[in-house]
Amino acid sequence: MPKTQDPGETLCVLPNGTLLALAVLALVSAATAQTARPVLDSIEGHLAAGKNAAGGRDNTPDFYGLVTAICVAPLNAPARPDAPAPRMNPNRTSAYLEPKRAFDDLYWMGTPSRSTWALTTSDGIILYDTQSVYDAEEVIVGGLKKLGLDPAKVKYVIISHAHENEVGGAKLMQERYGARIVMGAGDWDLVDQSVNGFPKGKPKRDIVATDGMRITLGDRSVTLYLMPGHTPGTISGVFQVHDHSKPLTVAYSGGTEFNFVNDVPHFDTYLASERKFAATAAAAGATIILGNQSQFDGAALKLRRLADRRPGEAHPLDVGAAAVARYFKIEDECAQAVRLKLLAQQHGAPQPAQ
Ligand SMILES: [Zn+2]
């Protein structure tokens, strides 16, 4: 949603529609400056705006995975704390992808769906996200070794959110290598409450993330932002990487899909977090958007293209500030669409967000 939409733009396309213009003016003045709304606040309007925000370089659409996941067929409920244990796919290793050096100081390990990132510093490694429990050993420990990195040098593991199938390596890294585990308070609770989600045991409660906390290791820091919504303890982060020595800023989005309790207050929380982090990413000058699922940031595919990069060509993950903003716009518009649907179910008619 264009939060700063200029009402004058709407009026100037209606030179002869005086009555309509007056009606629009009345609508606009009814909105407070703090919560300026698009004039057409409808489910279809938000869905169309979300889908239209998928654009891309060279007319190649991007973020379609994000659009599909949250605009076309959004999830609509959380897993129960007593959900069955994660299943082990016996063919899982066939899906493992070659780990890659993504930037001078950022490495990727993963499957087609889940990403783990390793930020190298002058005093060890900060790891970001940890796969499912059955993939962690081979993807993370095996991946780091393949990349020439020592798993014992991992000092911090940041968990962007603690869905059971996404926090599987935390215990391993904590127990075997003594890495400190950083998680939001609400997600430490999720881990505690899980009945079957940790067949190899749970990580012990360690560092509780706070808003603006800096995880500093050697010459590098990651700044964390609490972003409740996707889970109660979702955390996003901002940090710098280097592309052939050129510093670039990463916005690491902690949680994406709507697999939480689907009611209006939860969507209000999600939207407030998403808007806060969109503004944070813009203020930080982020030109790279990453997360723990290639479905959303395209990391697995884009890193395969890295080998074909020509001199002077932008890094495939360096999408630019405008694309980072579009990423958040998709989240914003499609969350608003579901929120309006929920309101319509409650009251029989859509109402604007608070
Ligand atoms: Zn998740």
Side-chain angles (χ1 to χ4, degrees), residues 133-148:
V133 64
Y134 300 115
D135 296 328
E137 177 80 48
E138 281 165 90
V139 173
I140 300 175
V141 177
L144 286 167
K145 287 178 180 168
K146 266 192 189 173
L147 291 163

Side-chain angles (χ1 to χ4, degrees), residues 161 163 166 230 259 293:
H161 69 271
H163 278 144
E166 295 169 296
H230 181 65
N259 46 334
Q293 291 194 56

Side-chain angles (χ1 to χ4, degrees), residues 298-324:
L301 267 176
K302 287 177 174 175
L303 290 173
R304 285 184 179 195
R305 298 210 317 255
L306 195 54
D308 299 327
R309 182 185 183 193
R310 282 164 299 199
E313 201 177 17
H315 190 290
L317 285 170
D318 182 20
V319 293
V324 173

Side-chain angles (χ1 to χ4, degrees), residues 42-162:
S42 71
I43 295 168
E44 287 311 315
H46 287 301
L47 281 178
K51 291 172 184 172
N52 287 341
R57 210 181 268 161
D58 304 327
N59 296 322
T60 306
D62 57 11
F63 304 142
Y64 266 21
L66 180 63
V67 168
T68 304
I70 64 171
C71 309
V72 178
L75 299 174
N76 58 18
R80 293 157 49 113
D82 60 349
R87 278 177 302 168
M88 183 173 70
N89 173 4
N91 302 317
R92 65 195 185 286
T93 57
S94 63
Y96 294 166
L97 299 174
E98 272 302 300
K100 301 269 186 198
R101 184 177 196 171
F103 292 93
D104 301 358
D105 41 9
L106 188 71
Y107 297 76
W108 178 91
M109 292 148 277
T111 67
S113 64
R114 293 282 181 273
S115 301
T116 293
W117 301 89
L119 179 67
T120 52
T121 82
S122 60
D123 193 28
I125 298 167
I126 299 174
L127 204 68
Y128 228 123
D129 286 317
T130 63
Q131 306 288 319
S132 82
V133 64
Y134 300 115
D135 296 328
E137 177 80 48
E138 281 165 90
V139 173
I140 300 175
V141 177
L144 286 167
K145 287 178 180 168
K146 266 192 189 173
L147 291 163
L149 301 171
D150 179 0
K153 295 227 166 88
V154 174
K155 305 283 174 60
Y156 290 101
V157 178
I158 300 171
I159 305 294
S160 64
H161 69 271

Side-chain angles (χ1 to χ4, degrees), residues 2 30-32 36 54 58 89 111 120 125 152 182-183 223 231 250 282 288 311 348:
T32 65
D58 304 327
N89 173 4
T111 67
T120 52
I125 298 167
V182 186
M183 228 187 273
T223 307
T231 61
V250 173
I288 299 169

